[in-house]
Amino acid sequence: MMHTHDTNAVPLPDRLNEDWRFGRPHVHARELAEILEHAQAAELRGVDLPSGVQLTPCAAEALPSIGSEALMRQALQIGPGQCLRIADGSQLREAISLHSEVHGGQVQQLRVIVGAGARLHLIEEHEYSEESMLVCLRRYELMPGATLRLEQRELGSGNTRAFCISSCICAENARFCSLSTHQDLAWARHECTLELTAPGAEALLLSANRLRSEQCLDMRNRQLHSSPGCKSRLLCKNTLTDRATAIFGGNIRVQPHAHDTDAYLSNLNLQLSPHATVHSLPMLEILADRVRCSHGSATAPVDAEQLFYLQSRGIPLAEARRTLEEAFLADVRLHFEQF
Amino acid sequence: MSSTTPAIPPTDARGDFSFPEKHAFDAGYGLTEATIDYICDAKGEPDWLRDFRKRALAKFRDMPQPLHWAPQEIAALDFDQIRYYLAQGTPARKNWDDVPDDVKRTFERLGVPEQERAFLAGVDAQYDSETAYKNMREELAKKGVIFVNPTEGLSAYESIFRPWFGKVIPVGDNKYAALNHAAFSGGSFIYVPKGVKLAQPLQAYFRINSESMGQFERTLIIADEGAELMYMEGCTAPKYDTATLHSGVVELVALPGAKIQYVTVQNWATNVYNLVIQRGLAMRDAEIRWIDCNIGSGVTMKYPAVILQGERARGEVVSISIARDGQLQDTGARMIHAASGTTSNIVAKSISIGHGRASYRGEVRVQPGATGCRNHTECDALLLHAESRTDTYPAITVHGDSAAVQHEASVSQVDEEMLFYMQQRGLTRAQAMSLAVNGFINDLVNEFPMEYSVELRRLIDMEMEDSIG
């Protein structure tokens, strides 16, 4: 759907906006705005829905209301999105896979509602063609006692870009686990806001990314504890080769009176090239006492002793490095599978 | 703690007094070119410095407040309601007996620990903008150590101080740097010659005595090759109805192999904006340590920095901040690794009491081409009441594959079981709380000189009595 839009009227991300520091936002932001002007709605393909699951059109206002607002407002004008609804109590044994191919500039809007006590394993996969770009708005709502295991796979090729804004709201005793991976995207910005709104809600946010050539991955996460007695964990791991750049912004915010919060975030980066760059901004905002909150960030090269050990066992240097890189990322999937 | 615990009222009785103002020089409110002329004339400064100040003033006016990242509280600052220069108009005394009685009384009320110690190497106490008392032992002078105020430093020792003046923190660094360059008065300029190691610390005490007075002291310390020194400063101001601004600039230059330790204990009244820029430049094998304690002021923004310019240079920041009701302690550290083999360490602990808010804001950066750098950062926060707030805003940038940078932060509160155990052993709840809080910062307090650490513990005891007892 074409529409006219005055890009000057919307403040674009720049370096003076703390949420957009690092990763050459001025270059990407303008292009993003231009692409949004001519974007098409992306189609979901290959959805074979079991009973208890419905896919219906979804009004734009039901989509995320937080994140990089300026760009989001623009994206929301593209047209209605889709809503995937899981009936209360549905226990889906098989994963539902939503696959879409991205060509040119596209916008995708998806709302997922997991009913009370329902359980869902959802796989979202975007396959990008050359020079394509996707703007994706997603909102996940977990009703009391619901469980959602979510895999988000971005499969780029060459000069492809992604800009994803997700929000997840968990009700009482809801459990949410997500694993996002970005592969071969020239530039990707992923904003995720998790809100735990009632006691007993629990979330685990995972991300594992292998970055190479000139790729840039800009991840911004927010763990918002607005109710007492909730638990959240975040683990983001990146490996970097060539001239890759990884940006990680994480924020645990504990709202007033959200006592007995248990939150942790961790950003770990393995540097494999002298020209790679890491920016890490792990933040805490704690407005209540009686909480357990901490974060950690570490950036380091491959351990020389581990490399030496593998080489002494006859493994060539390049392969040893690759093995250690894989091992570094492997435990993220393990956490997902154990959830 | 229980959410029903009442918030404590602000207490800053230590600074809650003042003496009548008797200023020979008063530049009035607001900062204009005429104010600068007034300051230059009063101080008898050379023309280059007058031009320098005026260029800085132009920059100050052009630059916006850094509100895109800084606490929004600084937006309330009205620069036209501040007096930029006040002076007693009497020359610095050589002898404590010559200091006027009212000034002495002020220091006595402050409980400046320096006076009690006869072994002190030098005392340079700044009362409003000028030095009121200065005593330097002869041995120091014999060693070639220069310890003067900025005006004297830039006139009598221009060849030493001018090359580094405004080099570590340039005029255009930020709005407050420009403000200080334009309006600075008072402070310390210190030069320690090659290989001279000072066994005893140098000290200064800053105090704002007049309402609406801005304090713009300027400190430049140069430690020549292989030299070592420790510098201590304390800051206090009485409480007035209108907000007061303290915007100091501290530049440290540690030439190859030199070591500088800079200790600050800040206990301004709660309506002081304490916006200080502290930065050190560490050359090859040099070491700079900032030991920082923030107890007072309404809004503090202070991020001691070390630019590790030479190979194997080392930087460290040890920071304690206590935020009570109505206080925002926005403190932190910056470490810029610009050379190979450089190492740095940051340890920051904060305590939030009542509605107080303590934030850690830091930057660690490993520049391209700097190999084998190491940094470790640790931030711990203690929340004492349900309404207390703490934040952590670190920014870490690492270029290349040979640096190891670690950051960890945690938030906790005093364990009820710990308190119960101590109370069961006969301590009151306030004593138990005080012991627990002192335990939280114990390893950092030990980094302070003994007299400061004793005072700090005493202060925490008082705080606990007020808030719990």
Side-chain angles (χ1 to χ4, degrees), chain A residues 195-255:
Chain A
E195 186 174 4
L196 303 169
T197 60
E202 182 183 346
L204 173 62
L205 306 175
L206 300 164
S207 185
N209 307 288
R210 188 176 291 172
L211 305 172
R212 57 195 178 88
S213 60
E214 305 251 335
Q215 291 167 7
C216 174
L217 173 63
D218 185 354
M219 294 200 61
R220 309 285 169 146
N221 294 279
R222 201 153 181 253
Q223 292 155 261
L224 187 59
H225 284 254
S226 47
S227 160
C230 298
K231 180 179 175 181
S232 69
R233 292 278 182 277
L234 182 147
L235 173 63
C236 176
K237 283 191 168 187
N238 300 310
T239 61
L240 297 98
T241 48
D242 307 322
R243 293 184 173 275
T245 304
I247 302 151
F248 171 84
N251 187 1
I252 296 175
R253 186 177 170 99
V254 179
Q255 298 288 52

Side-chain angles (χ1 to χ4, degrees), chain A residues 16 18 271 273-274 276-291 293-301, chain B residues 1 68-69 383 385-386 388-401 403-411 413:
Chain A
L16 286 182
E18 278 299 286
Q271 288 267 46
S273 157
T277 303
V278 166
H279 302 282
S280 181
L281 304 107
M283 296 182 266
L284 297 175
E285 289 181 323
I286 315 292
L287 285 77
D289 72 340
R290 219 170 62 224
V291 297
C293 295
S294 55
H295 67 207
S297 167
T299 301
Chain B
M1 306 312 305
H68 62 286
W69 63 268
L383 295 171
H385 292 103
S388 311
R389 174 170 179 175
T390 183
D391 312 296
T392 312
Y393 302 109
I396 302 154
T397 295
V398 181
H399 294 278
D401 63 346
V405 177
Q406 284 179 306
H407 171 101
E408 53 187 308
S410 70
V411 177
Q413 40 280 308

Side-chain angles (χ1 to χ4, degrees), chain B residues 335 337 343-346 364 373-377 404-407:
Chain B
M335 291 290 171
H337 292 259
T343 53
S344 64
N345 192 31
I346 300 169
V364 174
C373 302
R374 298 278 180 276
N375 164 267
H376 181 81
T377 304
V405 177
Q406 284 179 306
H407 171 101

Side-chain angles (χ1 to χ4, degrees), chain B residues 182-429:
Chain B
F184 75 89
S185 58
S188 308
F189 273 34
I190 297 171
Y191 171 78
V192 183
K194 272 185 193 174
V196 173
K197 294 178 168 56
L198 299 183
Q200 291 155 356
L202 301 174
Q203 301 213 7
Y205 210 95
F206 298 109
R207 175 177 158 75
I208 299 173
N209 193 49
S210 307
E211 188 160 11
S212 304
M213 171 59 193
Q215 176 114 15
F216 307 96
E217 96 274 357
R218 178 138 202 137
T219 300
L220 170 59
I221 299 176
I222 303 166
D224 213 327
E225 290 181 27
E228 287 180 19
L229 85 147
M230 181 194 242
Y231 182 82
M232 299 198 280
E233 67 166 23
C235 314
T236 310
K239 191 163 172 69
Y240 287 107
D241 292 336
T242 55
T244 312
L245 172 65
H246 171 243
S247 183
V249 160
V250 180
E251 296 174 293
L252 307 183
V253 180
L255 294 173
K259 283 186 184 175
I260 302 178
Q261 278 200 70
Y262 194 99
V263 183
T264 314
V265 177
Q266 177 267 110
N267 191 15
W268 297 116
T270 48
N271 61 349
V272 173
Y273 285 87
N274 182 42
L275 314 174
V276 182
I277 309 159
Q278 300 183 325
R279 196 174 299 163
L281 192 61
M283 300 305 193
R284 184 171 41 82
D285 296 311
E287 181 181 320
I288 290 180
R289 295 184 84 208
W290 296 100
I291 299 171
D292 198 30
C293 178
N294 295 288
I295 301 165
S297 92
V299 178
T300 293
M301 281 173 65
K302 194 202 277 186
Y303 321 102
V306 184
I307 300 168
L308 301 152
Q309 185 77 29
E311 289 185 1
R312 298 177 299 281
R314 194 180 133 68
E316 186 166 358
V317 173
V318 174
S319 164
I320 298 175
S321 56
I322 300 174
R324 291 168 288 163
D325 262 355
Q327 285 186 304
L328 166 60
Q329 302 284 12
D330 201 277
T331 59
R334 294 178 72 197
M335 291 290 171
I336 313 297
H337 292 259
S340 297
T342 50
T343 53
S344 64
N345 192 31
I346 300 169
V347 188
K349 294 204 178 193
S350 69
I351 300 165
S352 305
I353 305 169
H355 287 90
R357 178 179 171 190
S359 301
Y360 168 84
R361 204 181 291 274
E363 182 182 13
V364 174
R365 175 177 281 272
V366 178
Q367 299 284 56
T371 56
C373 302
R374 298 278 180 276
N375 164 267
H376 181 81
T377 304
E378 198 181 321
C379 312
D380 294 318
L382 191 69
L383 295 171
L384 290 194
H385 292 103
E387 308 80 14
S388 311
R389 174 170 179 175
T390 183
D391 312 296
T392 312
Y393 302 109
I396 302 154
T397 295
V398 181
H399 294 278
D401 63 346
S402 67
V405 177
Q406 284 179 306
H407 171 101
E408 53 187 308
S410 70
V411 177
S412 56
Q413 40 280 308
V414 178
D415 188 359
E416 274 299 327
E417 280 189 21
M418 194 197 289
L419 290 178
F420 176 73
Y421 177 81
M422 287 190 275
Q423 285 180 269
Q424 180 217 34
R425 298 274 154 174
L427 298 183
T428 64
R429 192 169 173 85

Side-chain angles (χ1 to χ4, degrees), chain A residues 171-192:
Chain A
E172 194 173 357
N173 295 323
R175 297 180 79 230
F176 175 71
C177 179
S178 70
L179 170 62
S180 69
T181 50
H182 298 79
Q183 197 178 311
D184 289 332
L185 279 105
W187 179 81
R189 163 103 175 177
H190 189 132
E191 294 178 10
C192 177

Side-chain angles (χ1 to χ4, degrees), chain B residues 33 134 294:
Chain B
E33 298 219 335
K134 197 175 69 178
N294 295 288

